[in-house]
Structures are given as structure tokens and as C-alpha cells.
Amino acid sequence: NRSEFHAPCRTNKYPREIPQLPWYRTTVPQMIMAGFLPFSAIYVELYYIFASVWGHKVYIIWSILFIVYIILIIVTAFITIALTYFQLAVEDHQWWWRSFLCGGSTGLFVYGYCFYYYFARSDMSGFMQTTFFFGYMAMVCFGFFLMLGTVGWRASLLFVRHIYRAIKCE
């Protein structure tokens, strides 16, 4: 059955106790690290996208946008795999949700950029424009969070299956 999870190696019935981790190995600092790198890869292109959507300018470099999108997907997958490896190396086996949150944290950085764009780069003002802008951008950034979280989780799942398939159990 395809819906069942089959571990690539033998597992115990009872999970191990996870050792106490330093503060920088907890979820929130890892989300910040994992979100900053992909965000820095798309930072420059965000201005042009925002200017075309909210500033009524024409966006004409679609090929660059596609390349930046591919870079975003690759960087998100690799940084999430690296953080999952570091998590497994200290015997923390609860990587599922953390890989999703770390992958999707770029959406939070994009929402932070929305504040910068609104207050520093745009000429928008008033209650209706503010609620319209931040409401729509919250939905777009939540979509980014879900999309990149899924990319990070899926990449981590493939990585974990690959490394545990190589374990020799006797």
C-alpha cells in the first residue's frame, strides 16, 4: 500500500530520549537560518515583482524570474537537508515538522519585506490600501510558506530515506 510509511531500516517500538540541545539548535533559530539564505537569493527580484504588481510598472524579464525561482527551490531544498542532517547527527529524530517549518520560513522573510516595501518604497497610504496590501500579501506569503515548506519536507524525506537505506542491519 502506497499510503503506509515503510522505514528503510529496522526501528524500535519506543523512541529514544532526545538529548538537551543548545539554544541555536532549536526550531526558531534554525528557521531564521533556513529562511534567510533563500530570501537573500530572491531579495533583488522581489522589488521588481512588487513594483509590477503594486506600482503599476511592467515586468519584462521573465527568464530571470524563472532562474531565480529555480535557485529558490534548490537553495531551500539544500539548506533544509543540511539542517535535517545536523539534527539527526545529535540524535534528534523528530525532523518532520522542523523540516517543513525551516523550508517555509522564507515566506516569513518575504512578509517582512512587505513591510519594508510598503513603508519605504511605495506611495500607498490609507486604511483601505493598507489592509488590501497586507491582506493579499499575507495570503501570498502563506502560499510561499506552504510551497517551500513542502519542498523542504520532501527533500528531507528523500534524504533520510537515502541515508537510512545505506545502513546495514543484521
Side-chain angles (χ1 to χ4, degrees), residues 83-160:
L83 290 174
T84 301
Y85 174 75
F86 294 144
Q87 185 177 353
L88 292 173
V90 294
E91 298 179 358
D92 186 355
H93 56 84
Q94 297 175 340
W95 59 270
W96 297 79
W97 280 107
R98 190 178 295 183
S99 66
F100 183 80
L101 293 172
C102 287
S105 63
T106 305
L108 302 175
F109 277 86
V110 172
Y111 198 67
Y113 180 80
C114 292
F115 285 94
Y116 168 73
Y117 181 82
Y118 183 83
F119 292 113
R121 296 276 180 120
S122 73
D123 296 328
M124 291 186 265
S125 62
F127 178 73
M128 291 302 287
Q129 283 185 331
T130 303
T131 55
F132 189 76
F133 177 79
F134 287 111
Y136 271 102
M137 290 313 299
M139 289 187 284
V140 168
C141 291
F142 184 66
F144 257 82
F145 184 86
L146 293 176
M147 177 188 72
L148 294 175
T150 303
V151 166
W153 176 79
R154 186 68 180 160
S156 292
L157 178 67
L158 292 173
F159 170 73
V160 167

Side-chain angles (χ1 to χ4, degrees), residues 45-67:
E45 207 61 30
L46 277 180
Y47 169 74
Y48 296 111
I49 294 170
F50 277 41
S52 70
V53 172
W54 300 106
H56 306 295
K57 294 191 168 119
V58 178
Y59 188 82
I60 55 173
I61 19 181
W62 296 102
S63 58
I64 300 296
L65 181 64
F66 179 71
I67 292 169

Side-chain angles (χ1 to χ4, degrees), residues 27-41:
T27 303
V28 174
Q30 282 195 347
M31 283 176 65
I32 293 170
M33 287 187 297
F36 180 73
L37 191 60
F39 174 76
S40 64

